[in-house]
């Protein structure tokens, strides 16, 4: 009989209403899984572990990624698959992080959640949880998000709607959502100061200069395929980042297509200052990869190559090799 370990982190799926709003409560997900196993006649042994304290995923941190990775690593040989229930706000960050951190993962890790809690009118939770249980013995090895009837690649997914049941999408990639290697090795995320800063017409570039003067790495959200305002303060900020030797990764503010630095003269500043082309990585994947890179001994060119090289299906075509 197949065995799966459910790691329940909290999130909307297991919340109950209170006078101050929805909050996580013990027992909600457990009872739902028991009922679904009976309804669907699943020949599957399920064990559930609560990641105490249960949290709203808005409060998730990289240390929570480390905890999840550690539980999967610790129990890896005892289970055939893993199911993680998680809040939707940072679900795509966690799925990207786990895909990158678990080198050599050769079993499916299915993540799911819901937009409306279990037992509430119009809830999508039972459907998502049931679909996740059904796909455990069908999915290929890797980290996946099961949501609204779709199985999405973990490092390519993003939340695109704040309230619709079909809240997630994922860009294409032919590479499986897993990091090759053997045996299973967990790479941990350490503490590092990363800023995510967008450009906007007439925005104050002093904020970007502050980030590049004080952070360990910066993700710069650019227009379109990688253009930025021709602003002397931004140029000064990039010079500071270069002098400090910190990585700056450019990603696009658009939902698809990614960046291709050097396409337009308006992006030449980024090329001059050796900004790393994030290509079509999602913000979530770029953030997780930059933090993982900063958590390793690699520096300078080695760090740039780590961020630029396909690792686990985080790039799509034609970037996936």
């Amino acid at each position: 009989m197949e065995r799966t370990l459910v790691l329940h982190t909290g999130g909307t799926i297991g919340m109950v209403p209170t006078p101050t709003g929805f909050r996580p409560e013990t027992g909600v997900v457990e009872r739902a899984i028991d009922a679904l196993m009976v309804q669907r006649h699943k020949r599957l042994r399920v064990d559930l572990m609560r990641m105490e304290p249960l949290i709203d995923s808005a409060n998730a941190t990289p240390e929570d990624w480390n905890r999840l990775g550690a539980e999967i690593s610790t129990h890896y040989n005892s289970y055939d698959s893993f199911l993680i229930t998680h809040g939707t706000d940072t679900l795509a960050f966690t799925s990207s992080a786990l895909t990158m951190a678990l080198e050599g993962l050769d079993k499916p890790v299915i993540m799911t959640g819901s937009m409306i809690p279990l037992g509430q009118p119009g809830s999508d939770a039972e459907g998502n949880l049931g679909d996740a249980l059904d796909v455990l013995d069908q999915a290929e090895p890797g980290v996946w998000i099961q949501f609204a009837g779709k199985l999405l690649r973990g490092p390519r997914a993003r939340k695109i709607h704040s309230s619709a049941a079909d809240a997630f999408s994922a860009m294409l990639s032919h590479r499986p959502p897993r990091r090759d290697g053997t045996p299973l090795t967990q790479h941990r995320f350490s503490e590092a100061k990363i800023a995510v800063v967008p450009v906007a017409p007439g925005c104050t570039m002093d904020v970007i200069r502050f980030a590049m003067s004080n952070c360990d790495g910066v993700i710069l959200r650019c227009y379109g395929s990688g253009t930025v305002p021709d602003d002397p303060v931004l140029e000064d900020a990039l010079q500071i980042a270069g002098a400090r030797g910190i990585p700056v990764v450019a990603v696009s503010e658009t939902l698809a297509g990614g960046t291709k630095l050097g396409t337009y003269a308006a992006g030449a500043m980024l090329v001059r200052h050796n900004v790393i082309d994030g290509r079509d990585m999602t913000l979530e994947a770029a953030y997780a990869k930059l933090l993982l890179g900063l958590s390793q001994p690699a520096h300078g060119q080695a760090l740039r190559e780590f961020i630029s090289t396909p690792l686990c299906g985080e790039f799509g075509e034609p970037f996936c090799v």
Side-chain angles (χ1 to χ4, degrees), residues 7 50-53 62-72 186 188:
L7 298 170
R50 286 187 299 274
M51 303 295 289
E52 301 287 2
E63 185 52 37
D64 293 305
W65 304 343
N66 288 335
R67 290 175 61 210
L68 283 169
E71 294 298 346
I72 291 172
Q186 180 195 3
R188 299 182 66 88

Side-chain angles (χ1 to χ4, degrees), residues 126-185:
E126 184 174 322
N128 286 344
L129 191 56
D131 288 345
L133 288 168
D134 287 344
V135 81
L136 284 168
D137 58 355
Q138 303 170 24
E140 296 178 8
V143 180
W144 305 85
I145 294 176
Q146 178 67 46
F147 214 93
K150 297 183 293 188
L151 186 64
L152 308 172
R153 296 170 187 269
R156 297 292 284 162
R158 53 163 45 114
K159 186 176 181 181
I160 60 170
H161 203 288
S162 63
S163 58
D166 191 7
F168 285 83
S169 70
M171 293 183 288
L172 296 176
S173 172
H174 292 310
R175 282 192 61 169
R178 60 182 297 271
R179 183 174 175 180
D180 292 335
T182 186
L184 180 71
T185 302

